[in-house]
Amino acid sequence: MANPKRDPKLRHIVLTSHPTSYGTKPIPIDWGNADPGQRSPLIGTLTDPSHRNVIGTHSGSYAIYRALAVVQGSLKTDHRADLTNTSPFVKIGPYPSWADPGKIVALDPFGAVIGEAFTEYLEKGYDIRPTIAITKAHINMPELYEAATKGRLTIDGKIMKENGDLVVTKAAIEPVWYLPGIAQRLKVTESDLRQALFEQTGGMFPELITRPDLQVFLPPIGGVTVYIVGDMAAISDPDRPVAVRVHDECNGSDVFGSDICTCRPYLVHGIEECIKTAQEGGAGVIVYYRKEGRALGEVTKFLVYNARKRQTGGDRADAYFERTECVAGVQDMRLQELMPDVLHWLGITRIDRLVSMSNMKYDAIINSGIEVVKRIAIPDDLIPADAQVEIEAKKAAGYYTEGEVLDPESLLEIKGRDY
Ligand SMILES: [Zn+2]
């Protein structure tokens, strides 16, 4: 029996599995069209379901919190965002890559500029929301200030301030997947992709199966944050240098300084390279992806740590990848094939300094058509105490290094801390 106290509006359930729920014809999206008016906006809002032309909703991974706010009565279902004064502080693009569906399939290149790109639709009353927000900030990391006091970095008062503050432009990006393009990138069929997404989300999005006409999906996954140091214009200027670090989230190290991996020291080293490059008249770009624990999640990650520490012989470099595979079934799910899209959105065509040792990231970047001039490994003195296992295992597995790669026998000697 229905609860008589419930809001009567909540009782009216609209099933998304029937095309008629959406009206006969949602505005078609012509992905890759250079003219945003022709490409048409993505409408993922729920204020008018008949306007929706995508699968999923905005801020996908936060949709559940939104549901709780709605059910508690603190958020009205018909709330429309007031976007006054929210437009980007810095202009990015458009670039030729924005109109190349081979280069961008995992974000909406027009996601930050809906106000100017889709004026006509907004005037007609369509509830269009940005999927990208661009702002400015000062950031301050103690290691960078220390680098300045040691003379590795220069305080110039412009890019880096007296107190070690770094002046940055930052962009938050929500994932927007053009399914035919994603399928092509992963070398699978679109129908197999849709079926796997449907099944592995416990049937959360029926339209993946029932609505082949809806080709854009707002997946409920974490997004990306971009930090840019230096002059924006340098990024797409062939005569000025660009440094890039593509970093996958590791909360334990990045925020809390856990010493079992090299994540935070390498991230900071990446920022240091970005500052130097910016001070040479170029620009530095840090791209921070929410793909915790190689996109396996933090629970899996901590289970793997335990399995590594407790295996016979303790935490060993020779068994580093194996332990992950035992728990997760795979070594890595980060799907670097989709990673370069952000770089293409920024208009990057050449990276002078790529601060990454990952062969998977490097391959994805160069296969997407971006030239990489130099790769930069983490300096040995920045590798934390318990992280030798990780770094030696990675180098032995083919990660980039200018140093020595251990043979299988020497790899056996690299041990991590016991508890
Ligand atoms: Zn880490």
Side-chain angles (χ1 to χ4, degrees), residues 250 253 261-263 301 305 390:
C250 171
S253 169
C261 56
T262 56
C263 299
K301 185 182 195 176
Y305 288 159
E390 178 208 272

Side-chain angles (χ1 to χ4, degrees), residues 55-62 106 174-179 182 197 201 205 216-223:
I55 302 168
T57 60
H58 287 288
S59 309
S61 64
Y62 296 101
E174 281 181 12
V176 174
W177 286 5
Y178 173 58
L179 292 171
I182 299 274
L197 289 169
T201 52
F205 303 100
V216 173
F217 178 39
L218 306 180
I221 58 173

Side-chain angles (χ1 to χ4, degrees), residues 85-99:
N85 292 333
T86 62
S87 64
F89 257 106
V90 174
K91 188 175 159 57
I92 295 178
Y95 297 108
S97 52
W98 289 24

Side-chain angles (χ1 to χ4, degrees), residues 247-254 258-265 292-294 301 305 320 390 394:
H247 187 92
D248 295 322
E249 178 173 31
C250 171
N251 185 269
S253 169
D254 293 346
S258 160
D259 76 343
I260 197 171
C261 56
T262 56
C263 299
R264 180 175 170 110
E292 179 59 64
R294 297 196 209 132
K301 185 182 195 176
Y305 288 159
Y320 172 78
E390 178 208 272
K394 284 183 168 177

Side-chain angles (χ1 to χ4, degrees), residues 41 51 80 114-128:
H51 286 172
R80 281 196 177 212
I114 58 156
E116 52 189 90
F118 305 116
T119 322
E120 201 186 309
Y121 289 93
L122 289 165
E123 281 166 1
K124 281 185 197 158
Y126 285 91
D127 182 12
I128 306 164

Side-chain angles (χ1 to χ4, degrees), residues 1 16 27 49 138 214 250-251 267 280 288 304 337 350 364 367 397 415:
M1 224 176 87
T16 54
I27 299 167
H138 282 200
L214 299 179
C250 171
N251 185 269
L267 174 63
E280 286 166 19
Y288 192 89
V304 171
E337 292 95 322
R350 190 197 65 228
N367 289 339
K415 298 270 167 66

